Amino acid sequence: MAHRTAAAALVTCAALVAVSGCSSNFDSGRKTEQDTGRQQQLSILIASSGDAETKAVRDAVAAYEKASGNKVTVDVAKDINQQLAQGFAGHRPPDAFYVNSDQFANYAKGGSLYAYGDQIKDADDFSARLRASFTYDGKLTCLPKDVSTLALAINTDLWKKAGLTAKDYPTTWAQLRTVAAKLTGKGVTGLVTSGEHTRLGVFLKQAGGWITNADQSKMTADSSQNIEALTYVRSLLKSGDLKYASQVDTNWGGEALGKGKAAMTIEGSWLTGGMKTDYPDTTYTTVPLPAGPGGKGTLAFSQCWGIAADSTHRAASVDLVKYLTSAKQQVENAQAFGVLPSRTSAQAAFVKLDPSAKVWVDGTAYAQGPVTVPGFEKVLTQFNTDLATLATTDPKTILTSLQRNGEQALTKDKDN
């Protein structure tokens, strides 16, 4: 996630949770007695992005303790998937915890999550796309704690040096190609981003394609739209006007932008905090990603507040999650560490406080959520490996492999 068989099961569960999910109930039908006391001791596990997020969660929890009378222990995970797997396998998980959208289906399928969405009266304040990412077997299982989308960030100093103005902000693929070429040279690459599906996937969406159909029941990876998208990206790679972050000796697009190695990058709302902390002297602006032949497109990333099926404090945990996902708390979190509120009402309030967030908030209206099929992470890991070779590999070859691997994962999920 002392008996030899139990220990073996524990190790197996920890190893396999990322691909198949582990049930929190090795003994079928096991019921967890609930604490009904007025004051309860809860535990939560988070995967923090840094000190700012940790402080924001601890401050929110302290306020909740004062309001409710319950006590809450906050632990910051070193490896949250491994720690959750151990907790589920040993029937001693934290009461509430972060769940990434790409891991959600694994935990839900394994029976590790308590579905509490039907207890949230204003659940429709969370966008339908976000709710879909955390729905399993038709049940809203956990509430999205926040959301981030991708936008185009531009180093304004490099932009001006190239003789470009706000009128040149690209709104189409053709315009993106033109400005990227103009910005490339003298140690600067026009566009730098990570060479993974979590960035390059925007081009699939903008071409009118995606990895699966809407309900994730069928693979659509080898479509003509996706081939067009990767062909476009490949052409930018071959011209040198687009490079992956690793190719310019950086770890991510924000670093490339901050160090002046990239004139543009594709990144999420977390860029704000990273630039403020690491590159406070770099001036930049963010604009919507250019539209492709299929229209506008961006990606959405989210986590939810999971509650353990094995928790003895389910009712109190739901009460805590309601507090932590309130509109007021979400706005405070957004100000503290750069995420966007997952409540639409809170998004509007946040944009009034921080107009620069509007570009990312607007993207939530048309953003593509992740594939949440159990066991699909292995498919996407291989896709990322293939994308690393895109400059020298036929896009159709990459997408055919993705199609084949994805179909096997979907078949396996249906069979199970």
Side-chain angles (χ1 to χ4, degrees):
M1 210 84 53
H3 187 277
R4 185 166 184 173
T5 302
L10 187 70
V11 172
T12 300
C13 183
L16 296 181
V17 67
V19 295
S20 60
C22 277
S23 173
S24 60
N25 300 308
F26 286 113
D27 47 329
S28 179
R30 180 178 183 273
K31 294 183 179 181
T32 304
E33 185 176 349
Q34 294 297 298
D35 186 342
T36 58
R38 295 185 62 183
Q39 293 185 329
Q40 298 183 30
Q41 178 68 51
L42 309 178
S43 63
I44 66 175
L45 183 68
I46 67 172
S48 180
S49 60
D51 293 342
E53 181 169 0
T54 300
K55 183 179 184 301
V57 174
R58 292 190 189 280
D59 288 349
V61 164
Y64 169 77
E65 288 179 323
K66 186 175 181 180
S68 67
N70 293 327
K71 298 296 181 184
V72 183
T73 300
V74 179
D75 290 320
V76 180
K78 292 183 178 179
D79 184 332
I80 194 166
N81 289 331
Q82 181 181 32
Q83 290 173 242
L84 285 175
Q86 291 171 342
F88 295 149
H91 300 302
R92 298 186 64 182
D95 297 296
F97 41 87
Y98 286 8
V99 178
N100 284 333
S101 54
D102 62 352
Q103 290 291 336
F104 163 74
N106 291 327
Y107 297 143
K109 182 177 181 180
S112 298
L113 301 180
Y114 171 60
Y116 61 88
D118 58 354
Q119 300 176 47
I120 310 302
K121 295 181 180 179
D122 60 348
D124 59 357
D125 192 26
F126 300 86
S127 77
R129 286 182 174 85
L130 288 179
R131 281 183 277 134
S133 292
F134 299 112
T135 294
Y136 188 78
D137 277 351
K139 295 180 180 179
L140 176 59
T141 303
C142 52
L143 292 182
K145 74 178 188 67
D146 49 46
V147 65
S148 295
T149 62
L150 298 175
L152 185 70
I154 297 170
N155 183 310
T156 51
D157 287 340
L158 295 176
W159 191 260
K160 291 176 182 176
K161 286 181 181 179
L164 299 170
T165 69
K167 293 181 180 180
D168 298 304
Y169 292 153
T171 60
T172 66
W173 280 6
Q175 292 171 0
L176 179 62
R177 183 191 299 279
T178 298
V179 295
K182 193 165 187 177
L183 290 161
T184 299
K186 298 181 180 179
V188 176
T189 300
L191 177 62
V192 175
T193 193
S194 299
E196 301 177 339
H197 78 278
T198 51
R199 297 296 181 277
L200 302 183
V202 297
F203 294 101
L204 305 184
K205 189 65 178 175
Q206 291 159 9
W210 185 238
I211 298 169
T212 70
N213 62 354
D215 66 2
Q216 301 185 141
S217 62
K218 181 181 179 181
M219 289 295 297
T220 57
D222 60 356
S223 68
S224 59
Q225 292 91 340
N226 289 339
I227 291 174
E228 181 178 13
L230 292 193
T231 299
Y232 172 77
V233 174
R234 187 187 188 206
S235 69
L236 292 178
L237 286 168
K238 294 183 74 172
S239 69
D241 300 325
L242 164 64
K243 290 182 180 178
Y244 295 154
S246 59
Q247 293 177 302
V248 296
D249 196 29
T250 58
N251 294 312
W252 67 297
E255 182 181 357
L257 190 75
K259 289 183 174 180
K261 294 185 176 183
M264 301 181 290
T265 189
I266 298 171
E267 278 298 341
S269 52
W270 51 79
L271 179 71
T272 303
M275 295 295 286
K276 185 183 297 183
T277 300
D278 299 327
Y279 308 103
D281 297 328
T282 299
T283 58
Y284 71 98
T285 189
T286 52
V287 298
L289 289 167
K296 295 187 295 184
T298 187
L299 304 183
F301 305 89
S302 186
Q303 295 174 315
C304 77
W305 275 110
I307 294 177
D310 274 342
S311 171
T312 59
H313 309 282
R314 292 177 190 164
S317 295
V318 172
D319 185 55
L320 170 62
V321 169
K322 287 179 179 178
Y323 187 93
L324 295 176
T325 58
S326 67
K328 176 178 178 294
Q329 188 56 52
Q330 289 200 356
V331 170
E332 290 180 3
N333 288 349
Q335 291 176 298
F337 56 95
V339 293
L340 303 177
S342 52
R343 287 183 175 273
T344 54
S345 59
Q347 289 175 357
F350 179 51
V351 168
K352 288 183 179 180
L353 294 173
D354 184 3
S356 67
K358 187 175 186 300
V359 62
W360 282 301
V361 169
D362 287 350
T364 62
Y366 55 87
Q368 172 65 54
V371 179
T372 57
V373 175
F376 209 83
E377 318 82 66
K378 293 182 71 175
V379 175
L380 295 177
T381 296
Q382 182 59 52
F383 185 33
N384 288 338
T385 298
D386 294 341
L387 286 173
T389 69
L390 178 58
T392 56
T393 305
D394 183 1
K396 184 172 178 58
T397 299
I398 292 175
L399 292 169
T400 297
S401 175
L402 174 61
Q403 179 79 18
R404 180 179 62 253
N405 293 339
E407 287 175 348
Q408 291 174 354
L410 290 182
T411 300
K412 184 176 180 180
D413 180 51
K414 291 175 182 177
D415 292 343
N416 292 336

